[in-house]
Tab-separated table of all heavy atoms in Angstrom:
chain	number	residue	atom	x	y	z
Z	1	ARG	N	1.595	78.237	-40.599
Z	1	ARG	CA	2.728	78.743	-41.373
Z	1	ARG	C	3.532	79.791	-40.576
Z	1	ARG	O	4.768	79.851	-40.686
Z	1	ARG	CB	2.233	79.347	-42.686
Z	1	ARG	CG	3.343	79.665	-43.686
Z	1	ARG	CD	2.771	80.352	-44.915
Z	1	ARG	NE	1.943	79.479	-45.717
Z	1	ARG	CZ	2.367	78.857	-46.821
Z	1	ARG	NH1	3.614	79.017	-47.236
Z	1	ARG	NH2	1.539	78.099	-47.505
Z	2	ASN	N	2.855	80.613	-39.796
Z	2	ASN	CA	3.572	81.667	-39.054
Z	2	ASN	C	4.563	81.073	-38.065
Z	2	ASN	O	5.662	81.617	-37.866
Z	2	ASN	CB	2.583	82.588	-38.328
Z	2	ASN	CG	1.838	81.885	-37.208
Z	2	ASN	OD1	1.305	80.795	-37.418
Z	2	ASN	ND2	1.782	82.488	-36.022
Z	3	ILE	N	4.193	79.946	-37.433
Z	3	ILE	CA	5.111	79.296	-36.482
Z	3	ILE	C	6.342	78.782	-37.217
Z	3	ILE	O	7.483	78.928	-36.748
Z	3	ILE	CB	4.398	78.158	-35.736
Z	3	ILE	CG1	3.250	78.720	-34.883
Z	3	ILE	CG2	5.370	77.373	-34.863
Z	3	ILE	CD1	2.425	77.663	-34.178
Z	4	ILE	N	6.110	78.183	-38.384
Z	4	ILE	CA	7.208	77.628	-39.172
Z	4	ILE	C	8.129	78.750	-39.661
Z	4	ILE	O	9.368	78.655	-39.575
Z	4	ILE	CB	6.662	76.821	-40.369
Z	4	ILE	CG1	5.880	75.606	-39.883
Z	4	ILE	CG2	7.802	76.389	-41.294
Z	4	ILE	CD1	6.701	74.590	-39.111
Z	5	GLU	N	7.553	79.823	-40.171
Z	5	GLU	CA	8.361	80.937	-40.692
Z	5	GLU	C	9.186	81.588	-39.583
Z	5	GLU	O	10.356	81.945	-39.783
Z	5	GLU	CB	7.461	81.975	-41.359
Z	5	GLU	CG	6.762	81.493	-42.625
Z	5	GLU	CD	7.716	81.295	-43.796
Z	5	GLU	OE1	8.938	81.502	-43.645
Z	5	GLU	OE2	7.237	80.898	-44.873
Z	6	ASN	N	8.574	81.726	-38.406
Z	6	ASN	CA	9.279	82.378	-37.304
Z	6	ASN	C	10.374	81.498	-36.704
Z	6	ASN	O	11.297	81.998	-36.053
Z	6	ASN	CB	8.308	82.784	-36.200
Z	6	ASN	CG	7.381	83.902	-36.638
Z	6	ASN	OD1	7.719	84.697	-37.521
Z	6	ASN	ND2	6.200	83.972	-36.036
Z	7	GLY	N	10.274	80.188	-36.922
Z	7	GLY	CA	11.272	79.300	-36.314
Z	7	GLY	C	11.994	78.417	-37.306
Z	7	GLY	O	12.553	77.387	-36.923
Z	8	LYS	N	12.010	78.820	-38.566
Z	8	LYS	CA	12.556	77.936	-39.600
Z	8	LYS	C	14.050	77.692	-39.445
Z	8	LYS	O	14.586	76.708	-39.963
Z	8	LYS	CB	12.242	78.480	-40.984
Z	8	LYS	CG	12.882	79.806	-41.327
Z	8	LYS	CD	12.447	80.232	-42.734
Z	8	LYS	CE	13.054	81.573	-43.114
Z	8	LYS	NZ	12.611	81.979	-44.470
Z	9	GLU	N	14.732	78.576	-38.725
Z	9	GLU	CA	16.167	78.365	-38.526
Z	9	GLU	C	16.439	77.121	-37.687
Z	9	GLU	O	17.574	76.599	-37.679
Z	9	GLU	CB	16.806	79.604	-37.870
Z	9	GLU	CG	16.415	79.852	-36.420
Z	9	GLU	CD	15.063	80.556	-36.280
Z	9	GLU	OE1	14.464	80.923	-37.323
Z	9	GLU	OE2	14.628	80.741	-35.135
Z	10	ARG	N	15.422	76.635	-36.976
Z	10	ARG	CA	15.585	75.431	-36.159
Z	10	ARG	C	15.315	74.143	-36.950
Z	10	ARG	O	15.476	73.047	-36.417
Z	10	ARG	CB	14.659	75.485	-34.948
Z	10	ARG	CG	14.929	76.683	-34.047
Z	10	ARG	CD	14.013	76.711	-32.852
Z	10	ARG	NE	14.209	77.936	-32.074
Z	10	ARG	CZ	13.525	78.250	-30.963
Z	10	ARG	NH1	12.605	77.412	-30.518
Z	10	ARG	NH2	13.769	79.378	-30.335
Z	11	LEU	N	14.864	74.326	-38.190
Z	11	LEU	CA	14.599	73.175	-39.054
Z	11	LEU	C	15.726	73.021	-40.063
Z	11	LEU	O	16.410	73.988	-40.401
Z	11	LEU	CB	13.276	73.370	-39.807
Z	11	LEU	CG	12.026	73.647	-38.980
Z	11	LEU	CD1	10.828	73.846	-39.912
Z	11	LEU	CD2	11.749	72.515	-37.993
Z	12	THR	N	15.888	71.793	-40.544
Z	12	THR	CA	16.813	71.597	-41.647
Z	12	THR	C	16.169	72.140	-42.918
Z	12	THR	O	14.939	72.237	-43.002
Z	12	THR	CB	17.132	70.104	-41.841
Z	12	THR	OG1	15.952	69.431	-42.280
Z	12	THR	CG2	17.639	69.478	-40.553
Z	13	PRO	N	16.964	72.501	-43.917
Z	13	PRO	CA	16.380	72.971	-45.177
Z	13	PRO	C	15.401	71.963	-45.777
Z	13	PRO	O	14.378	72.356	-46.341
Z	13	PRO	CB	17.608	73.168	-46.075
Z	13	PRO	CG	18.719	73.444	-45.125
Z	13	PRO	CD	18.442	72.605	-43.916
Z	14	LYS	N	15.704	70.672	-45.644
Z	14	LYS	CA	14.822	69.644	-46.195
Z	14	LYS	C	13.479	69.620	-45.475
Z	14	LYS	O	12.422	69.502	-46.102
Z	14	LYS	CB	15.491	68.278	-46.098
Z	14	LYS	CG	14.675	67.160	-46.727
Z	14	LYS	CD	15.424	65.826	-46.647
Z	14	LYS	CE	14.595	64.712	-47.284
Z	14	LYS	NZ	15.310	63.404	-47.209
Z	15	GLU	N	13.500	69.756	-44.137
Z	15	GLU	CA	12.259	69.760	-43.359
Z	15	GLU	C	11.397	70.961	-43.724
Z	15	GLU	O	10.179	70.847	-43.907
Z	15	GLU	CB	12.578	69.769	-41.859
Z	15	GLU	CG	13.134	68.451	-41.354
Z	15	GLU	CD	13.746	68.561	-39.966
Z	15	GLU	OE1	14.011	69.711	-39.514
Z	15	GLU	OE2	13.981	67.517	-39.342
Z	16	TYR	N	12.027	72.113	-43.830
Z	16	TYR	CA	11.288	73.326	-44.198
Z	16	TYR	C	10.702	73.191	-45.604
Z	16	TYR	O	9.530	73.531	-45.829
Z	16	TYR	CB	12.215	74.532	-44.127
Z	16	TYR	CG	11.578	75.830	-44.571
Z	16	TYR	CD1	10.691	76.512	-43.740
Z	16	TYR	CD2	11.837	76.350	-45.835
Z	16	TYR	CE1	10.093	77.695	-44.146
Z	16	TYR	CE2	11.238	77.530	-46.262
Z	16	TYR	CZ	10.366	78.199	-45.416
Z	16	TYR	OH	9.761	79.363	-45.829
Z	17	GLU	N	11.488	72.673	-46.536
Z	17	GLU	CA	11.020	72.517	-47.912
Z	17	GLU	C	9.841	71.549	-47.990
Z	17	GLU	O	8.844	71.826	-48.672
Z	17	GLU	CB	12.171	72.012	-48.789
Z	17	GLU	CG	11.775	71.796	-50.247
Z	17	GLU	CD	12.895	71.171	-51.057
Z	17	GLU	OE1	13.984	70.895	-50.500
Z	17	GLU	OE2	12.672	70.928	-52.258
Z	18	GLN	N	9.947	70.420	-47.276
Z	18	GLN	CA	8.851	69.438	-47.292
Z	18	GLN	C	7.594	70.021	-46.663
Z	18	GLN	O	6.485	69.801	-47.158
Z	18	GLN	CB	9.273	68.167	-46.552
Z	18	GLN	CG	10.279	67.322	-47.308
Z	18	GLN	CD	10.610	66.032	-46.576
Z	18	GLN	OE1	10.368	65.901	-45.384
Z	18	GLN	NE2	11.186	65.082	-47.302
Z	19	TYR	N	7.750	70.754	-45.567
Z	19	TYR	CA	6.590	71.376	-44.904
Z	19	TYR	C	5.880	72.310	-45.868
Z	19	TYR	O	4.642	72.288	-45.997
Z	19	TYR	CB	7.022	72.127	-43.650
Z	19	TYR	CG	5.849	72.609	-42.810
Z	19	TYR	CD1	5.472	71.908	-41.666
Z	19	TYR	CD2	5.118	73.742	-43.163
Z	19	TYR	CE1	4.394	72.335	-40.892
Z	19	TYR	CE2	4.037	74.173	-42.411
Z	19	TYR	CZ	3.676	73.463	-41.277
Z	19	TYR	OH	2.602	73.883	-40.531
Z	20	MET	N	6.641	73.155	-46.562
Z	20	MET	CA	6.047	74.135	-47.464
Z	20	MET	C	5.406	73.468	-48.681
Z	20	MET	O	4.380	73.940	-49.185
Z	20	MET	CB	7.096	75.154	-47.902
Z	20	MET	CG	7.496	76.100	-46.789
Z	20	MET	SD	6.050	76.962	-46.091
Z	20	MET	CE	6.747	77.690	-44.610
Z	21	LYS	N	5.976	72.385	-49.149
Z	21	LYS	CA	5.367	71.654	-50.255
Z	21	LYS	C	3.988	71.132	-49.864
Z	21	LYS	O	3.031	71.208	-50.642
Z	21	LYS	CB	6.263	70.485	-50.688
Z	21	LYS	CG	7.369	70.862	-51.645
Z	21	LYS	CD	8.065	69.609	-52.169
Z	21	LYS	CE	9.081	69.965	-53.236
Z	21	LYS	NZ	9.732	68.751	-53.794
Z	22	ILE	N	3.897	70.608	-48.657
Z	22	ILE	CA	2.597	70.102	-48.191
Z	22	ILE	C	1.620	71.256	-48.010
Z	22	ILE	O	0.452	71.172	-48.414
Z	22	ILE	CB	2.770	69.306	-46.877
Z	22	ILE	CG1	3.609	68.058	-47.129
Z	22	ILE	CG2	1.399	68.923	-46.304
Z	22	ILE	CD1	4.046	67.327	-45.873
Z	23	ALA	N	2.070	72.352	-47.428
Z	23	ALA	CA	1.201	73.522	-47.211
Z	23	ALA	C	0.719	74.113	-48.519
Z	23	ALA	O	-0.395	74.650	-48.593
Z	23	ALA	CB	1.941	74.575	-46.396
Z	24	ASP	N	1.518	73.998	-49.573
Z	24	ASP	CA	1.175	74.585	-50.872
Z	24	ASP	C	0.563	73.564	-51.836
Z	24	ASP	O	0.439	73.859	-53.040
Z	24	ASP	CB	2.429	75.198	-51.508
Z	24	ASP	CG	2.964	76.389	-50.713
Z	24	ASP	OD1	2.145	77.051	-50.034
Z	24	ASP	OD2	4.185	76.633	-50.759
Z	25	GLU	N	0.205	72.383	-51.323
Z	25	GLU	CA	-0.423	71.317	-52.111
Z	25	GLU	C	0.459	70.841	-53.269
Z	25	GLU	O	-0.022	70.446	-54.329
Z	25	GLU	CB	-1.788	71.770	-52.669
Z	25	GLU	CG	-2.786	72.156	-51.601
Z	25	GLU	CD	-4.089	72.674	-52.191
Z	25	GLU	OE1	-4.427	72.278	-53.326
Z	25	GLU	OE2	-4.755	73.483	-51.523
Z	26	GLU	N	1.760	70.856	-53.050
Z	26	GLU	CA	2.700	70.440	-54.081
Z	26	GLU	C	3.399	69.127	-53.738
Z	26	GLU	O	4.227	68.646	-54.519
Z	26	GLU	CB	3.756	71.538	-54.292
Z	26	GLU	CG	3.170	72.853	-54.819
Z	26	GLU	CD	4.195	73.959	-54.893
Z	26	GLU	OE1	5.342	73.727	-54.417
Z	26	GLU	OE2	3.868	75.041	-55.416
Z	27	ALA	N	3.073	68.531	-52.610
Z	27	ALA	CA	3.736	67.306	-52.173
Z	27	ALA	C	3.195	66.103	-52.925
Z	27	ALA	O	2.032	66.084	-53.353
Z	27	ALA	CB	3.542	67.121	-50.670
Z	28	ASP	N	4.039	65.073	-53.072
Z	28	ASP	CA	3.549	63.827	-53.669
Z	28	ASP	C	2.871	62.992	-52.591
Z	28	ASP	O	2.920	63.312	-51.397
Z	28	ASP	CB	4.684	63.060	-54.354
Z	28	ASP	CG	5.827	62.693	-53.394
Z	28	ASP	OD1	5.550	62.422	-52.210
Z	28	ASP	OD2	6.992	62.684	-53.841
Z	29	GLN	N	2.243	61.887	-53.030
Z	29	GLN	CA	1.450	61.107	-52.084
Z	29	GLN	C	2.318	60.499	-50.983
Z	29	GLN	O	1.882	60.401	-49.823
Z	29	GLN	CB	0.676	60.001	-52.814
Z	29	GLN	CG	-0.314	59.284	-51.910
Z	29	GLN	CD	-1.138	58.244	-52.614
Z	29	GLN	OE1	-1.340	57.141	-52.098
Z	29	GLN	NE2	-1.636	58.548	-53.805
Z	30	ARG	N	3.526	60.120	-51.296
Z	30	ARG	CA	4.411	59.548	-50.285
Z	30	ARG	C	4.675	60.564	-49.175
Z	30	ARG	O	4.671	60.209	-47.983
Z	30	ARG	CB	5.719	59.125	-50.958
Z	30	ARG	CG	6.731	58.479	-50.029
Z	30	ARG	CD	7.901	57.918	-50.830
Z	30	ARG	NE	8.457	58.944	-51.698
Z	30	ARG	CZ	9.388	59.829	-51.316
Z	30	ARG	NH1	9.843	59.807	-50.072
Z	30	ARG	NH2	9.852	60.722	-52.163
Z	31	GLN	N	4.863	61.824	-49.537
Z	31	GLN	CA	5.099	62.868	-48.533
Z	31	GLN	C	3.845	63.180	-47.730
Z	31	GLN	O	3.918	63.438	-46.529
Z	31	GLN	CB	5.618	64.131	-49.235
Z	31	GLN	CG	6.997	63.972	-49.834
Z	31	GLN	CD	7.383	65.137	-50.732
Z	31	GLN	OE1	6.536	65.690	-51.443
Z	31	GLN	NE2	8.654	65.519	-50.722
Z	32	VAL	N	2.694	63.129	-48.391
Z	32	VAL	CA	1.434	63.383	-47.682
Z	32	VAL	C	1.165	62.286	-46.666
Z	32	VAL	O	0.679	62.544	-45.555
Z	32	VAL	CB	0.265	63.497	-48.684
Z	32	VAL	CG1	-1.067	63.595	-47.949
Z	32	VAL	CG2	0.453	64.716	-49.585
Z	33	ARG	N	1.494	61.044	-47.010
Z	33	ARG	CA	1.292	59.930	-46.073
Z	33	ARG	C	2.091	60.141	-44.782
Z	33	ARG	O	1.648	59.736	-43.707
Z	33	ARG	CB	1.699	58.611	-46.728
Z	33	ARG	CG	0.726	58.102	-47.781
Z	33	ARG	CD	1.286	56.895	-48.514
Z	33	ARG	NE	0.392	56.448	-49.572
Z	33	ARG	CZ	-0.266	55.280	-49.567
Z	33	ARG	NH1	-0.141	54.470	-48.541
Z	33	ARG	NH2	-1.041	54.947	-50.569
Z	34	ALA	N	3.240	60.765	-44.876
Z	34	ALA	CA	4.097	60.990	-43.700
Z	34	ALA	C	3.929	62.387	-43.120
Z	34	ALA	O	4.706	62.801	-42.246
Z	34	ALA	CB	5.552	60.761	-44.089
Z	35	SER	N	2.909	63.114	-43.563
Z	35	SER	CA	2.805	64.542	-43.235
Z	35	SER	C	2.564	64.816	-41.756
Z	35	SER	O	3.118	65.775	-41.199
Z	35	SER	CB	1.686	65.184	-44.068
Z	35	SER	OG	0.439	64.547	-43.811
Z	36	LEU	N	1.761	64.014	-41.089
Z	36	LEU	CA	1.435	64.307	-39.687
Z	36	LEU	C	2.647	64.113	-38.779
Z	36	LEU	O	2.828	64.853	-37.801
Z	36	LEU	CB	0.273	63.424	-39.224
Z	36	LEU	CG	-1.036	63.565	-40.015
Z	36	LEU	CD1	-2.167	62.805	-39.327
Z	36	LEU	CD2	-1.422	65.023	-40.206
Z	37	LYS	N	3.470	63.137	-39.117
Z	37	LYS	CA	4.702	62.962	-38.344
Z	37	LYS	C	5.649	64.131	-38.588
Z	37	LYS	O	6.297	64.639	-37.653
Z	37	LYS	CB	5.367	61.651	-38.714
Z	37	LYS	CG	6.598	61.342	-37.870
Z	37	LYS	CD	7.148	59.965	-38.173
Z	37	LYS	CE	8.342	59.653	-37.270
Z	37	LYS	NZ	8.884	58.291	-37.533
Z	38	LEU	N	5.753	64.586	-39.848
Z	38	LEU	CA	6.596	65.735	-40.163
Z	38	LEU	C	6.116	66.974	-39.407
Z	38	LEU	O	6.922	67.728	-38.845
Z	38	LEU	CB	6.574	66.008	-41.664
Z	38	LEU	CG	7.311	67.285	-42.115
Z	38	LEU	CD1	8.807	67.144	-41.888
Z	38	LEU	CD2	7.001	67.608	-43.565
Z	39	PHE	N	4.795	67.189	-39.374
Z	39	PHE	CA	4.236	68.335	-38.652
Z	39	PHE	C	4.665	68.291	-37.190
Z	39	PHE	O	5.138	69.297	-36.630
Z	39	PHE	CB	2.705	68.302	-38.757
Z	39	PHE	CG	2.019	69.415	-38.027
Z	39	PHE	CD1	1.685	70.596	-38.678
Z	39	PHE	CD2	1.699	69.303	-36.683
Z	39	PHE	CE1	1.056	71.632	-38.002
Z	39	PHE	CE2	1.068	70.326	-35.996
Z	39	PHE	CZ	0.742	71.503	-36.663
Z	40	SER	N	4.526	67.131	-36.558
Z	40	SER	CA	4.855	66.993	-35.138
Z	40	SER	C	6.333	67.255	-34.887
Z	40	SER	O	6.709	67.931	-33.908
Z	40	SER	CB	4.488	65.585	-34.659
Z	40	SER	OG	3.133	65.288	-34.928
Z	41	LYS	N	7.172	66.744	-35.761
Z	41	LYS	CA	8.619	66.925	-35.600
Z	41	LYS	C	9.006	68.388	-35.737
Z	41	LYS	O	9.794	68.923	-34.931
Z	41	LYS	CB	9.358	66.073	-36.626
Z	41	LYS	CG	10.867	66.117	-36.482
Z	41	LYS	CD	11.537	65.226	-37.520
Z	41	LYS	CE	13.053	65.235	-37.369
Z	41	LYS	NZ	13.709	64.369	-38.385
Z	42	CYS	N	8.458	69.049	-36.759
Z	42	CYS	CA	8.772	70.463	-36.968
Z	42	CYS	C	8.315	71.314	-35.795
Z	42	CYS	O	9.034	72.221	-35.335
Z	42	CYS	CB	8.139	70.951	-38.264
Z	42	CYS	SG	8.874	70.256	-39.765
Z	43	MET	N	7.104	71.037	-35.305
Z	43	MET	CA	6.581	71.813	-34.179
Z	43	MET	C	7.415	71.597	-32.921
Z	43	MET	O	7.670	72.538	-32.154
Z	43	MET	CB	5.114	71.438	-33.922
Z	43	MET	CG	4.172	71.928	-34.987
Z	43	MET	SD	4.130	73.733	-35.052
Z	43	MET	CE	3.561	74.001	-36.728
Z	44	TYR	N	7.879	70.382	-32.713
Z	44	TYR	CA	8.703	70.112	-31.530
Z	44	TYR	C	10.036	70.844	-31.619
Z	44	TYR	O	10.513	71.430	-30.632
Z	44	TYR	CB	8.944	68.617	-31.378
Z	44	TYR	CG	9.776	68.282	-30.165
Z	44	TYR	CD1	9.194	68.232	-28.900
Z	44	TYR	CD2	11.157	68.067	-30.276
Z	44	TYR	CE1	9.967	67.962	-27.768
Z	44	TYR	CE2	11.932	67.799	-29.164
Z	44	TYR	CZ	11.323	67.744	-27.904
Z	44	TYR	OH	12.098	67.480	-26.795
């Protein structure tokens, strides 16, 4: 989370929102299925 918070300006609002939903266990199953790709994209 610290990496995401410190660099969130480099993410789109949608990417940041989806990341936080997954981190807070609020994502639906469709988002969880795609979560590892989202993680990689955000980190890059």
